[in-house]
Each structure stands twice: as C-alpha cells, then as structure tokens.
Amino acid sequence: MEIDLAKGEARHKEAILKVREEARVELDIERQKQQELITKYQRDHEELQKKIPGLISSATNSLRMETEILEKKLQDAQIKLAEKDEDKEKEIQSLKRLITELEFQLTMEKNNNESFLDNMRKEIKHKSDELEKLTQERTQLIHNLSQVQEENTLLQETVRRECEERYELTAALTQAREQVLELKKLSGNFPLSLCSLTQGSLTSSAALLADYGQKS
C-alpha cells in the first residue's frame, strides 16, 4: 500500500508538473502572440505617425487649392456683378435723358397748344361779340316790323320769312363749317381778321345765332 501510495503521489506530481508545463507553454505562446500584436500595433502607429505629416500637407494643399479656386470664382462673380451694375447704371441714365427730352417736348407742345388755344378764344370772343351785336340789331328790326304790320299779314309774312331764313341758315351753317375747316388748315395764319369775311357770311351767321337764341 505504501508503494502504491508512493506511485500515486508520483503520478500526481507528474501530472501536476505536466499541467504546469502545458500552462507555461500556453502562457508563453499567448505572451508571444500579444508581443507580436503589440509590435504590429507599434509598427502601424509608427507608420501612421510617418504618414500624418504627409496627410496634413496633402490636405492643406488641397484646401489651399480649393480656397484659391473659390477666391477666383468670387472675383469673377464680383467682376460680372460690377459690369452688370455699370450696364444698368448706363441704361438708367439713358432712360433719364429720354424722360427729360420727352418732358421738354411735352412742355413745348403744351405751351404751343395753350398759345394757339388762347388766340382762338380771343378770335372766337371777338366774332361772338360781333355776331351778338348783329343778332340784337336783327331782333330789334323784327320787333319794329311786328308792331307796324297787321296780324294776318304778319302771320303770312312770318311763315314766308321763316322758310327763307331756313334756307339762309342752312347755307350759313355750311359756309361756317367750311370757314372752320379753313381756319384749322390755316392755323399758322390764325387768327383771321373779321374784315376778311364777306357781308353775306356775317349776315347768315348772325341769322343762325339769332334763330338759335330764340329757340333756346
């Protein structure tokens, strides 16, 4: 039994030594793996440290180039904007000059028209005064004739005279229209003197206004 016990202890010690050896071998293998991994990481770190300046330089150069390109584009855009502003300013100045010229022409035409209309008003007033005077004289004449004539004769004479006056008024109106058209055509020589009208046209115009006044 002592011998068997001794053999068992020997086998147990041998097994323990074997386990320890195996554990030591595995630990050495694991340490070797870890050391290899650390070495690899160190190499990668050193390579990365070596690459960093190049990457920084490359990124800096790339950024510098992009900045120069953007600055060039910005300068081109500013130049184009300045050219457009200059063109617009020229266009605005041209429009201002055109507006000024049109306003001047409008003022001149307005002044000319006002002068022409003023002359026409004066001439029309003068003719109106003359025609009113003739109308009053005719009215007074008719009134005097109506007092000395008998009623029956007056009615017959009035009918006959009205027929004649209607023809005269029609002719006077036609002549007045022709004279107005002639005045418009000869506006450069306007106003015309009343003396240039014939006595017949004055009488017809006076009759026209008198008849118009009576009807009114």
Side-chain angles (χ1 to χ4, degrees), residues 28 44 60-61 87 107 109 114 131 139 147-148 153 186 216:
D28 291 338
D44 293 341
T60 303
N61 293 332
D87 293 339
T107 302
E109 291 179 0
E114 288 179 353
L131 291 174
T139 303
Q147 290 179 349
V148 297
T153 303
L186 301 177
S216 298

Side-chain angles (χ1 to χ4, degrees), residues 24-40:
R24 186 184 63 79
V25 172
E26 290 179 359
L27 182 60
D28 291 338
I29 293 171
E30 186 67 26
R31 286 177 179 175
Q32 186 177 359
K33 289 181 180 179
Q34 292 293 329
Q35 185 63 37
E36 290 176 356
L37 186 61
I38 291 171
T39 303
K40 182 178 180 299

Side-chain angles (χ1 to χ4, degrees), residues 90-103:
K90 290 181 180 179
E91 185 177 357
I92 290 172
Q93 294 298 329
S94 177
L95 290 175
K96 286 182 178 180
R97 288 194 297 270
L98 179 61
I99 291 172
T100 302
E101 292 176 359
L102 292 175
E103 288 178 347

Side-chain angles (χ1 to χ4, degrees), residues 26-122:
E26 290 179 359
L27 182 60
D28 291 338
I29 293 171
E30 186 67 26
R31 286 177 179 175
Q32 186 177 359
K33 289 181 180 179
Q34 292 293 329
Q35 185 63 37
E36 290 176 356
L37 186 61
I38 291 171
T39 303
K40 182 178 180 299
Y41 286 157
Q42 288 177 348
R43 286 198 303 268
D44 293 341
H45 179 70
E46 291 175 356
E47 291 177 0
L48 183 61
Q49 290 293 329
K50 293 178 181 179
K51 290 180 180 180
I52 286 176
L55 292 174
I56 294 174
S57 177
S58 177
T60 303
N61 293 332
S62 177
L63 182 61
R64 184 182 298 108
M65 292 178 63
E66 291 181 358
T67 302
E68 291 176 355
I69 292 172
L70 291 175
E71 288 178 351
K72 183 65 170 57
K73 289 182 178 180
L74 179 60
Q75 291 177 357
D76 293 339
Q78 289 176 346
I79 293 173
K80 290 181 180 180
L81 181 60
E83 291 177 353
K84 288 183 179 180
D85 290 340
E86 184 178 357
D87 293 339
K88 286 185 178 180
E89 183 64 24
K90 290 181 180 179
E91 185 177 357
I92 290 172
Q93 294 298 329
S94 177
L95 290 175
K96 286 182 178 180
R97 288 194 297 270
L98 179 61
I99 291 172
T100 302
E101 292 176 359
L102 292 175
E103 288 178 347
F104 177 75
Q105 293 179 2
L106 181 62
T107 302
M108 293 296 295
E109 291 179 0
K110 183 178 179 180
N111 293 334
N112 293 334
N113 290 335
E114 288 179 353
S115 178
F116 177 73
L117 291 174
D118 186 60
N119 292 333
M120 286 190 66
R121 290 190 190 98
K122 292 179 180 179

